[in-house]
Amino acid sequence: MIEHTTPIGWQIGTISEIVQRTPSIKSFFLRLAQPFTHVAGQHVDIRLTAPDGYSAMRSYSIASDPSRSDTIELVIENLQGEVSAYFHEVAVAGDEIELRGPLGGHFLWPEHESGPILLIGAGSGVAPFMSMIRHRRSGALTVPTALLLSARTRNDALFAEELISSEDGDPNFVLALAITREAPWRASDFSRRVDEAMIKDVVGRMPSAPSHVFICGSNGFVNVAADGVLASGLAPSVIKTERYGG
Amino acid sequence: MATRGFTGRPSGGDQSERIPPGQHLVDYFPVLTAGPTPNIEPGDWKFTLKIGPRPVKAWNWAEFNSLPMTKMTRDIHCVTSWSKLNTAWEGVLIDDILADAGVEHPTDFLLAHSFDGYSTNVPLADLASGKAMVALKYEGKAIPRDHGGPARLLVPHLYFWKSAKWVNGLQFTERDEPGFWELRGYHIYGDPWKEQRYSGD
Ligand SMILES: Cc1cc2nc3c(=O)[nH]c(=O)nc-3n(C[C@H](O)[C@H](O)[C@H](O)COP(=O)(O)OP(=O)(O)OC[C@H]3O[C@@H](n4cnc5c(N)ncnc54)[C@H](O)[C@@H]3O)c2cc1C
């Protein structure tokens, strides 16, 4: 449970680096004026302000490892919308961005020891899971964890290289890619949209049924994945969802 | 602080005074939910009014639908920063639910409960006097599951997490008891015009 009785104030994050991750997703590394420690799964609110005082606010999950708290990584998909297009088309290293955080008290990596954890994401919805997986890796945590990641093509699979190398050498981490518009990448991957049979298959690769399921992405994707998890016999109470709004 | 190179899109024009600080206008209806979307058949639907632990009255779907219906068209404001104008709802005013149960003012605070275990607290003053309803229709039709159907609470003057989806009860409490999001860092009251997003704001 997250409680903050003092307000979480706005601060400045300075863009230190921008990295193109997939054709439509870039990472933005923000150096914080007031470093904080987040719990993997939390987000920040970003506020852009025009010269006439008009401002636009949006939420972005923190993708970086919580133990690296002076600089945070956000991964933003270009939806041609007001804020995502600004980041993709206007922002450059050195720009100062107003933000507040860390925020969110529900979609959180369990602080206490837990049973297996199943993560299901699509598109930029893998952002909070990167923070969790990096946290797990840097803390040498052994809790069995599986990530089912859906992407249109291999090139759209965010952080695929890092995830594949995480899987190599860690018997407790399972990665399954659901590539919807291309042949499967590896024998353990799928070449269709996420469905019930696929979720059952991935759950079957875990030592026991997951005690936590996290699902993140667009609302349509989250509904399909959550229905699949329920159909594979898991209880609604173990499922946490984060819907990116549309 | 002005952000270099950000100009923003054309504002809501003469509607801008209807948009609280930090909010932006959308014309579609985003969906945000903390868990799976429940599937509730009207036959399984039941709404219970409680005072503390004690149930005072319960209604099934047919009984609830025979209560007086009221229409309400309101602007709504989600804490994730979108606002939507002129949303049209129809349902049963909280006043009419309390009247049907013969309950007036046992305490000042309530918790709304939902089928999926969600809860949120709202003071009686913000539910009564025609301010809030249990909505059964959106834009003239049954409320879609994603948006809380078959029935959701509608408290349009507070951030929209207070308008509990899949609502199945109201409970009077002695004190103002935080609900699901209020226990997870969000503001206890949630007035969009005061930007009461997170606790401490
Ligand atoms: C807790 C949380 C965490 C998030 N984390 C991330 C993250 O890590 N990375 C990320 O990229 N995003 C994330 N998001 C989404 C992000 O906050 C923004 O919503 C997103 O970047 C779009 O903002 P925008 O200003 O670019 O688009 P806006 O101008 O707000 O437009 C929103 C999008 O909605 C689309 N849209 C317009 N009409 C409709 C319609 N009728 N139906 C459906 N869609 C429509 C538009 O095309 C546009 O793409 C998160 C959201 C939440 C709530």
Side-chain angles (χ1 to χ4, degrees):
Chain A
M1 216 118 292
I2 304 281
E3 286 183 43
H4 30 85
T5 42
T6 49
I8 293 192
W10 291 94
Q11 61 159 311
I12 302 290
T14 305
I15 300 180
S16 57
E17 200 187 348
I18 301 176
V19 178
Q20 186 91 41
R21 294 283 188 198
T22 75
S24 62
I25 300 175
K26 286 181 185 174
S27 280
F28 297 83
F29 291 87
L30 298 170
R31 199 172 51 247
L32 302 177
Q34 294 152 39
F36 54 64
T37 305
H38 73 281
V39 179
Q42 284 190 299
H43 66 270
V44 292
D45 282 354
I46 293 281
R47 181 166 72 187
L48 306 181
T49 305
D52 65 0
Y54 168 82
S55 72
M57 199 179 81
R58 299 290 186 280
S59 302
Y60 292 98
S61 306
I62 306 172
S64 39
D65 182 345
S67 68
R68 299 197 44 200
S69 56
D70 52 338
T71 297
I72 57 169
E73 177 179 4
L74 306 181
V75 291
I76 302 182
E77 182 169 1
N78 191 0
L79 296 174
Q80 317 289 343
E82 190 173 30
V83 173
S84 63
Y86 171 83
F87 273 96
H88 277 261
E89 286 149 30
V90 182
V92 294
D95 279 342
E96 296 186 333
I97 303 291
E98 249 183 321
L99 64 91
R100 72 192 293 216
L103 299 167
H106 175 59
F107 200 79
L108 305 176
W109 180 260
E111 286 171 55
H112 305 290
E113 221 169 293
S114 91
I117 297 175
L118 173 60
L119 312 171
I120 307 177
S124 58
V126 75
F129 301 151
M130 274 329 277
S131 185
M132 295 179 180
I133 289 163
R134 288 164 165 169
H135 169 63
R136 197 180 159 281
R137 195 170 60 216
S138 69
L141 306 179
T142 54
V143 53
T145 303
L147 170 66
L148 175 56
L149 168 57
S150 172
R152 250 168 276 169
T153 69
R154 280 158 70 144
N155 284 339
D156 292 304
L158 188 60
F159 295 114
E161 311 291 326
E162 182 177 340
L163 290 166
I164 289 172
S165 76
S166 280
E167 194 188 29
D168 291 343
D170 181 350
N172 294 311
F173 179 63
V174 170
L175 171 70
L177 301 172
I179 305 293
T180 59
R181 296 196 191 162
E182 274 180 7
W185 194 334
R186 312 166 304 156
S188 52
D189 292 335
F190 304 92
S191 60
R192 59 178 201 271
R193 288 164 173 269
V194 166
D195 58 28
E196 187 188 325
M198 191 185 296
I199 290 168
K200 278 195 179 136
D201 185 319
V202 174
V203 168
R205 299 180 200 177
M206 308 182 78
S208 59
S211 59
H212 296 272
V213 181
F214 294 89
I215 307 173
C216 186
S218 68
N219 181 54
F221 173 81
V222 169
N223 276 340
V224 168
D227 286 347
V229 173
L230 293 172
S232 61
L234 299 175
S237 58
V238 305
I239 305 173
K240 294 189 162 120
T241 65
E242 184 106 286
R243 298 158 199 250
Y244 281 179
Chain B
M1 181 198 96
T3 314
R4 186 199 62 80
F6 180 71
T7 47
R9 66 180 149 211
S11 74
D14 55 359
Q15 292 172 327
S16 54
E17 84 282 355
R18 288 167 67 179
I19 305 171
Q23 297 292 110
H24 69 282
L25 208 55
V26 297
D27 53 12
Y28 63 109
F29 199 161
V31 177
L32 295 131
T33 300
T37 306
N39 200 351
I40 304 141
E41 296 299 326
D44 300 328
W45 191 89
K46 186 179 154 191
F47 187 91
T48 308
L49 180 69
K50 290 182 178 176
I51 300 176
R54 182 172 61 89
V56 224
K57 183 152 185 169
W59 297 261
N60 65 23
W61 183 249
E63 289 160 352
F64 200 82
N65 275 269
S66 69
L67 296 176
M69 292 293 153
T70 302
K71 289 184 179 172
M72 229 186 224
T73 297
R74 294 286 185 279
D75 302 343
I76 55 176
H77 312 289
C78 175
V79 71
T80 65
S81 87
W82 56 265
S83 291
K84 187 169 172 60
L85 304 183
N86 303 317
T87 61
W89 305 86
E90 187 173 347
V92 185
L93 290 179
I94 307 304
D95 306 290
D96 291 326
I97 298 173
L98 299 183
D100 193 59
V103 168
E104 270 179 13
H105 190 155
T107 73
D108 288 338
F109 303 103
L110 290 100
L111 268 173
H113 295 280
S114 297
F115 278 88
D116 59 341
Y118 182 82
S119 61
T120 186
N121 57 307
V122 188
L124 179 60
D126 292 274
L127 291 176
S129 313
K131 284 186 176 151
M133 63 162 51
V134 170
L136 306 175
K137 283 185 179 173
Y138 172 67
E139 303 292 347
K141 294 198 210 79
I143 301 176
R145 262 176 78 200
D146 262 346
H147 292 296
R152 82 176 292 163
L153 189 66
L154 178 70
V155 194
H157 64 287
L158 300 179
Y159 279 127
F160 213 45
W161 87 78
K162 295 286 184 183
S163 294
K165 298 185 201 182
W166 313 294
V167 69
N168 70 353
L170 285 172
Q171 176 184 25
F172 282 94
T173 56
E174 285 300 326
R175 284 170 291 120
D176 199 7
E177 305 272 2
F180 181 89
W181 284 121
E182 295 82 7
L183 283 169
R184 290 167 177 78
Y186 286 79
H187 197 275
I188 191 80
Y189 182 67
D191 181 346
W193 294 97
K194 296 183 179 153
E195 270 209 271
Q196 294 172 336
R197 298 178 194 275
Y198 302 101
S199 56
D201 279 357

